[in-house]
Amino acid sequence: MLLPFYSAGKSLLLLFDHHVQHLCKRHGKNLLDHSGNVTRPWIYQFESQSCQLSSFSKSEHHAQFSPDVQEIFLISTMVSERNLSKNVCIIGTGPSGLVAARELRNEGHNVVVFEQNHDVGGQWLYQPKVEHEDPLGRNNILIVHSSIYASLRLTSPREIMGFTDFPFVVKKGRDPRRFPGHKELLLYLQDFCEYFGLREMIRFNTRVEYVGMLNYPEFGKDLRWIVKSKEKEAEEGVEEVFDAVVVATGHYSQPRLPNIKGMDAWRRKQMHSHIYRVPEPFRNEVVVVVGNSLSGQDIGMELVDVAKEIHLSAKSLDVSEGLSKVISKHQNLHLCPQIDSLHEDGRVLFVDGTSIDADTIIYCTGYSYSFPFLDTKGMVIVDDDRVGPLYEHTFPPSLAPSLSFVGIPRKLIGFPFFESQAKWIAQLLSGKRTLPSWDEMMQSIKEFYRSREIDGIPKHNTHDLANFEYCDKYADYIGFPHLEEWRKELCLSVLRNADKNLDTYRDSYDDSEMLQEAYQSPHFAHLGPETF
């Protein structure tokens, strides 16, 4: 057990240090390290007595301890009682991890952020080299985190994507488009990191290998976590203890694969879109793209200029007007039903009885939630892409608030929602807010699951929310601003446009009135008209 002064506010820390320095001088001890801080080895000399002392009330029992230890204990108790800051570990520096780091630090917590790559960005840190990754991503520990391909452009306009106090505006010398390429969003995240001074909290090139409970939890009792991490070039890992862990590792890395008869026996090239980067390797090939969601459509449209044929295999042949237009423009792009089976000779048989000989199959079938480092003794599991149980997609009732997740929900305007999650977590850990009882949280989760079942939503889509009202309800828990109407309307406008004009919606739009409303809103107005 460490003395509570490690999680104190600045003023009380200074008071505590002052008294400890005074006591050390009294005993001729060297107290300060090279930075002028109280050295931990000295503190440990008092550890055994102060820990024993903490189990006693303010009574005559204090007399059995030395006056020095009594004095340190009383000061550390003041520190602990007046500031409930925690030592917090955050895993990941994508959008959710970065905003969590900012909000936790703003709330007075001591934050360490672990990032396995060399820079911030998470999914948005493009990784062109994928040759050492399993093509189907079947390894438990992936080498490549990012699933971004070279030509990827945002599917939402920059105006709706920024955090509430840090707009995603055009900067001189950068991609000026409203739907910019992926590098522009990475630069925005790097700007966010620099502006708020977050880099000092981040340990780069450090992979978290294990997170587990230090002590068995009791609801409402403090729980601490063992975190084992390893730097890329280090021979041995490091083990540390934290008061809380925030998981912000994203959900677009672990490939989700279909179960197709003959898939394991098919001898030609199969890969998940996780490792697709550029179209050139597929020149003059017959390619089957499985799935017609955003990535399937994007990759299918990109391949028409290089591949001999592209067969887009979809669950339903009732596709959007925009996709129908694209298919009608390209003689080598075909819409096909689901695959029935794959055969060793390269034949792909579809459920309608038709077949083709294919060179490559690209599975654009989505991603699964995966937390291979996390050991909760079965208290949090991933069951058919349902992470749970989680109260409001954030807190496991048996382990909250010391364990939380940021960025689990999909199909919403992400950045403001991540920000609201981070604020709630930070305030819970500092004691400003409390969660409902365990029974109330579990009942809420059961009711949510039941509502999804009634609506006919499959379990693997549990966290696909697509609901502005839910974001506003979530915001109400902490007094966070609701999504602005202009933000909602711009989002809906883009969805309608993409549905009708799939290949042009990023460059041709008719939302100037809404855009002007956005620029005049408090989110942008403080920047001045010259920004636009």
Side-chain angles (χ1 to χ4, degrees), residues 259-498:
N259 185 17
I260 299 175
K261 181 181 177 182
M263 190 171 171
D264 292 334
W266 206 67
R267 299 303 179 197
R268 298 186 182 178
K269 187 165 59 176
Q270 298 182 81
M271 58 183 283
H272 191 275
S273 58
H274 171 63
I275 64 164
Y276 175 88
R277 292 297 181 266
V278 293
E280 186 57 35
F282 308 94
R283 181 168 292 280
N284 298 322
E285 288 191 352
V286 174
V287 181
V288 176
V289 176
V290 181
N292 72 332
S293 59
L294 294 175
S295 61
Q297 294 171 0
D298 259 7
I299 291 171
M301 288 190 293
E302 183 169 67
L303 289 173
V304 295
D305 293 328
V306 297
K308 181 180 179 181
E309 298 175 13
I310 305 99
H311 297 267
L312 188 59
S313 172
K315 288 182 179 179
S316 172
L317 300 184
D318 183 17
V319 298
S320 70
E321 178 184 345
L323 182 56
S324 294
K325 287 181 181 177
V326 170
I327 293 171
S328 67
K329 292 177 182 178
H330 302 281
Q331 292 184 348
N332 62 339
L333 180 59
H334 311 278
L335 183 63
C336 303
Q338 284 187 284
I339 297 174
D340 175 79
S341 57
L342 302 178
H343 300 266
E344 290 188 43
D345 61 358
R347 189 162 53 97
V348 177
L349 178 65
F350 299 102
V351 293
D352 65 352
T354 61
S355 66
I356 61 165
D357 287 329
D359 299 297
T360 298
I361 299 175
I362 304 175
Y363 296 101
C364 300
T365 47
Y367 297 87
S368 295
Y369 296 93
S370 179
F371 314 101
F373 54 84
L374 185 59
D375 178 12
T376 64
K377 309 301 180 187
M379 293 184 198
V380 179
I381 62 171
V382 180
D383 177 17
D384 191 19
D385 261 9
R386 172 182 285 175
V387 185
L390 290 182
Y391 177 64
E392 302 296 2
H393 306 272
T394 310
F395 305 104
S398 296
L399 303 172
S402 69
L403 178 66
S404 57
F405 296 78
V406 180
I408 292 289
R410 298 179 292 208
K411 295 188 178 179
L412 42 66
I413 301 178
F415 284 36
F417 187 79
F418 303 156
E419 192 176 345
S420 65
Q421 285 186 294
K423 285 181 181 292
W424 196 4
I425 293 167
Q427 292 177 15
L428 284 167
L429 290 175
S430 67
K432 281 186 179 178
R433 298 184 186 274
T434 57
L435 287 168
S437 69
W438 184 88
D439 288 334
E440 290 172 319
M441 287 191 282
M442 289 302 296
Q443 182 61 31
S444 174
I445 295 167
K446 290 176 183 176
E447 290 173 358
F448 174 73
Y449 289 170
R450 179 61 181 155
S451 71
R452 304 295 269 183
E453 291 172 8
I454 292 172
D455 291 340
I457 298 172
K459 182 184 287 187
H460 67 263
N461 291 333
T462 293
H463 304 293
D464 292 357
L465 299 183
N467 190 312
F468 294 141
E469 288 71 28
Y470 179 79
C471 297
D472 290 344
K473 182 191 107 174
Y474 194 100
D476 288 341
Y477 285 119
I478 56 166
F480 191 74
H482 286 190
L483 286 171
E484 305 93 334
E485 288 304 312
W486 60 261
R487 204 185 291 251
K488 297 176 184 178
E489 287 302 317
L490 279 175
C491 179
L492 294 174
S493 174
V494 168
L495 293 174
R496 290 190 293 266
N497 193 11

